[in-house]
Amino acid sequence: MVPEPPVDADALEIPLAEGAQHTREEWEKATAAVLRKSGRLGDDAPDADVWGRLATTTLDGIAVTPLGTADLVQRLGDPGLPGQAPYTRGARVKAPEDAWDVRACFADPDARTTTEHVVTDLENGVTSLWLQVGDGEIAPSDLAQVLEPVFLDLAPVVLDAPTAPVDAAQALVSVLADKGVQAAAGTSLGADPIGNRLRSHGVTELDVVDEVASLAVRAGVRAIAVDGTAAHDLGASDVQELAYVLAAGVAYLRLLTDADSTTGHDADTAAGLLEFRLAATDEQLLTIAKLRAARRLWARVAELSGIAEAHRGMLQHAVTSRPMMTKYDPYVNMLRTTVAAFAAGVGGAESVTVLPFDERLGLPEPFSRRIARNTSSLLIEESHVGAVTDPAGGSYAIEKLTDDLARAAWDLFGELEAAGGVPVALDLLRERIGTTVSDRALLVARRKRPITGVSEFPNLREELPERRPSASTRPQPHRYAAEFEQMRDEPVGQPVFLATMGPIAQHTARATFASNLLAAGGIDVIVAGATDGAEAVVGAYAEAGRPPVAVLAGTDAAYGEWGADLVAALREAGATRVVLAGKPAAVEAELDDSAAAGLDALAFLRRTREALA
């Protein structure tokens, strides 16, 4: 629901331009005029309807207002100052030169190649290492070689070893001992058996927590990664990811402070052993608000857990989303990760990992690794995004969105706790995530959540860059573009005949719409037509080899004048399926299908592919 304006809304002043103040009523009037001109608002509709027309709704059912106004935050609590409870505005106050820790990810099983990548990245802007260890990735026995050239007292190292958490932790601790150095702040052994349970991969026994925590305390490093991407990679919404992180964090606190364990820790020490990992997506406002909400929520959990205020801050590692990445037109991933990294930095993450744009294609090459690390470098050094702590703080829309996410996540967290807490309640969480996946898939199918280069503006003739295949045994994340990409993986050998009707200026819009739609399903087109009359079109159809499917693209006027004749002529010439680009009511003829904005594109493409097969 869009928030109702307060009683004195008409008197509310809104700064629409520098030095000018306008009331809400004036804004509504000006905005309504624009929407009526574009046909998005009826002439008889009240001006106040613009709020509903322009508001967007997240997958969690949270309304995002089109304009932030002071009334949105009138009833919200004080977010505090950066570095102070409730830490909404940041767990610490950063100096302008601090920005965020640029953390690169390494997974190549070839130890020599990984060592070269580590050295290159550290020499060119990367400040910490995220090592993925296990089957088909870096072997625990190779950690000494990989880290040999690294100054471990300067560059933090974070392990991610789902299949060998203890072996990897012991190997890193041994390297630190052999070098005789104290690990840099932020170093973590990265065990996460609860996340492994959610992913159904790796070591899931909770005894690992006690063992790895003991190693971590002796080495003076962190022990546990509370990895929200375990939920995100399954397709979770922002609220579901936040709720999972809270529930998993609480579960780890209970395990670490268990008086019956051999190494029970006090609450403050236990909190200091945790690091939190969250996904950053190309929905920048949601990412900013999610990171802010996560800190506020964890501070509340820590308060209720008896943790001292100084230890209630959440150490955040933001990773650009894997599900949003595409296999086709992979260079668009550079744009996605840039927006995500920007949002992560603005949202206050201490560490940010930008995944290489080609990670869907296999092991990244030096070029894609350079682009990944330079994304953060450009944002920090040239755009100065990290120069201000919590630059979004005080934004009415961001503060409201932060509060909405926090409240919704707290409610879901309460449900998970009432169900026994994680890992007992993981099935409940999976069920909720499954609903989100279905909801998102429908929006993607209808192209209401367009995926550039895949569901929109695909290039059937692109040549994908070649990469060495990954041998990792980790489960593949849920990909938002998966169903479209499956069609692209198996292109149809038979093209569709696209019959254009009338002059170029009249048919271009619908012809382009139809061509892009078909290409999204791996279907090529042969375009030909005439300015008037069916005879010339049918001649071109015969020259094209008489494909079984023909699509008509023209104006409603052209459809009414000679559309029925063209449909009949194409059927007589051999077309077994005739489709109209537009609303079927525009032509008085029996059609097999139609394609207009808002259709279920996936269902339409499947029907068309079956006809071509």
Side-chain angles (χ1 to χ4, degrees):
M1 296 289 293
V2 178
E4 293 291 334
V7 176
D8 60 346
D10 292 341
L12 179 68
E13 291 189 339
I14 302 174
L16 299 183
E18 186 175 355
Q21 295 290 328
H22 299 271
T23 65
R24 178 188 291 264
E25 185 179 46
E26 289 175 308
W27 180 83
E28 290 173 352
K29 182 178 180 180
T31 307
V34 175
L35 292 185
R36 290 191 181 100
K37 187 175 181 180
S38 64
R40 295 183 61 189
L41 187 68
D43 292 338
D44 298 331
D47 292 348
D49 282 2
V50 298
W51 295 96
R53 288 284 187 271
L54 295 178
T56 58
T57 304
T58 72
L59 288 166
D60 294 300
I62 295 172
V64 182
T65 179
L67 180 68
T69 54
D71 60 296
L72 294 176
V73 299
Q74 285 178 351
R75 296 178 178 85
L76 301 188
D78 183 3
L81 296 173
Q84 298 180 14
Y87 300 107
T88 305
R89 306 200 61 198
R92 64 187 179 92
V93 180
K94 297 181 292 185
E97 64 274 11
D98 285 349
W100 58 84
D101 164 36
V102 181
R103 181 168 295 173
C105 182
F106 303 86
D108 198 315
D110 186 303
R112 181 175 178 180
T113 300
T114 295
T115 304
E116 291 173 356
H117 287 166
V118 164
V119 171
T120 300
D121 280 5
L122 288 173
E123 288 177 346
N124 290 279
V126 164
T127 52
S128 71
L129 313 177
W130 179 22
L131 304 182
Q132 299 198 321
V133 181
D135 300 337
E137 299 172 327
I138 303 168
S141 58
D142 288 334
L143 284 176
Q145 178 182 344
V146 170
L147 296 175
E148 192 280 327
V150 180
F151 292 98
L152 297 178
D153 53 337
L154 300 177
V157 174
V158 175
L159 299 180
D160 184 0
T163 59
V166 176
D167 290 346
Q170 290 173 338
L172 177 56
V173 171
S174 294
V175 171
L176 289 168
D178 291 343
K179 290 197 171 200
V181 297
Q182 174 60 47
T187 296
S188 174
L189 303 184
D192 184 23
I194 294 176
N196 294 346
R197 288 194 183 191
L198 185 57
R199 297 182 192 270
S200 301
H201 173 72
V203 176
T204 60
E205 290 79 9
L206 299 182
D207 293 345
V208 166
V209 173
D210 197 14
E211 194 168 355
V212 173
S214 298
L215 288 169
V217 170
R218 289 199 296 271
V221 299
R222 293 180 183 260
I224 305 297
V226 185
D227 192 354
T229 68
H232 177 80
D233 287 355
L234 293 180
S237 67
D238 297 294
V239 166
Q240 289 161 354
E241 183 184 358
L242 285 172
Y244 166 72
V245 161
L246 292 181
V250 167
Y252 283 129
L253 284 181
R254 289 174 177 145
L255 289 168
L256 290 167
T257 57
D258 185 357
D260 295 331
S261 70
T262 56
T263 56
H265 306 281
D266 63 80
D268 291 352
T269 300
L273 292 173
L274 306 181
E275 180 187 31
F276 293 80
R277 187 173 297 135
L278 294 160
T281 74
D282 52 3
E283 295 182 271
Q284 59 181 350
L285 297 184
L286 277 170
T287 294
I288 293 168
K290 178 172 71 175
L291 294 174
R292 299 174 87 248
R295 291 191 295 270
R296 168 180 160 183
L297 289 166
W298 184 248
R300 178 59 175 157
V301 167
E303 179 185 2
L304 295 173
S305 302
I307 296 170
E309 185 172 314
H311 299 280
R312 294 175 191 167
M314 172 187 276
L315 182 66
Q316 290 181 337
H317 171 205
V319 183
T320 56
S321 166
R322 281 190 168 91
M324 76 176 180
M325 303 283 267
T326 62
K327 171 182 176 180
Y328 290 98
D329 209 344
Y331 299 102
V332 178
N333 291 330
M334 295 184 191
L335 303 179
R336 297 183 179 102
T337 54
T338 297
V339 174
F342 168 85
V346 170
E350 280 80 9
S351 301
V352 177
T353 295
V354 176
L355 295 175
F357 73 88
D358 55 358
E359 68 96 27
R360 280 284 279 110
L361 302 174
L363 295 172
E365 298 292 323
F367 171 71
S368 54
R369 297 195 64 85
R370 177 166 64 88
I371 294 297
R373 65 175 179 265
N374 282 353
T375 299
S376 279
S377 295
L378 290 170
L379 289 170
I380 294 169
E381 302 297 339
E382 296 195 17
S383 300
H384 307 290
V385 172
V388 177
T389 301
D390 190 32
S395 162
Y396 300 139
I398 293 294
E399 295 291 1
K400 182 64 166 63
L401 189 54
T402 298
D403 186 73
D404 287 342
L405 286 174
R407 291 180 182 277
W410 188 261
D411 289 342
L412 180 54
F413 165 58
E415 290 185 49
L416 295 175
E417 285 293 285
V422 297
V424 176
L426 289 183
D427 285 341
L428 171 60
L429 180 63
R430 289 191 186 97
E431 180 182 335
R432 298 295 178 86
I433 292 174
T435 300
T436 297
V437 169
S438 297
D439 292 344
R440 183 190 291 110
L442 182 59
L443 294 173
V444 171
R446 294 184 179 280
R447 303 202 294 181
K448 292 184 177 181
R449 291 177 72 92
I451 303 174
T452 304
V454 181
S455 69
E456 298 278 4
F457 311 112
N459 177 12
L460 283 182
R461 291 161 183 77
E462 72 173 310
E463 295 185 9
L464 295 177
E466 295 184 2
R467 296 292 185 263
R468 291 174 297 138
S470 170
S472 173
T473 60
R474 293 175 190 251
Q476 285 296 306
H478 167 74
R479 304 284 184 177
Y480 303 152
E483 292 185 275
F484 282 100
E485 290 186 334
Q486 287 170 5
M487 293 184 181
R488 292 284 296 277
D489 288 342
E490 300 175 359
V492 179
Q494 182 86 274
V496 160
F497 180 75
L498 181 59
T500 58
M501 303 172 63
I504 292 177
Q506 295 181 13
H507 70 241
T508 292
R510 279 178 170 161
T512 302
F513 169 83
S515 296
N516 282 331
L517 173 60
L518 292 165
I523 304 171
D524 206 350
V525 296
I526 297 175
V527 184
T531 56
D532 55 33
E535 185 176 344
V537 178
V538 173
Y541 174 72
E543 291 179 5
R546 303 179 189 274
V549 179
V551 177
L552 278 58
T555 62
D556 286 351
Y559 291 158
E561 290 175 12
W562 53 290
D565 293 339
L566 180 55
V567 171
L570 287 170
R571 290 196 189 283
E572 185 176 349
T576 59
R577 187 175 184 83
V578 180
V579 181
L580 189 77
K583 301 292 184 182
V587 60
E588 294 182 1
E590 185 177 346
L591 299 166
D592 298 293
D593 211 338
S594 63
L599 87 164
D600 185 332
L602 283 172
F604 169 81
L605 291 169
R606 291 189 182 111
R607 293 193 298 268
T608 306
R609 287 170 63 93
E610 288 175 5
L612 290 170

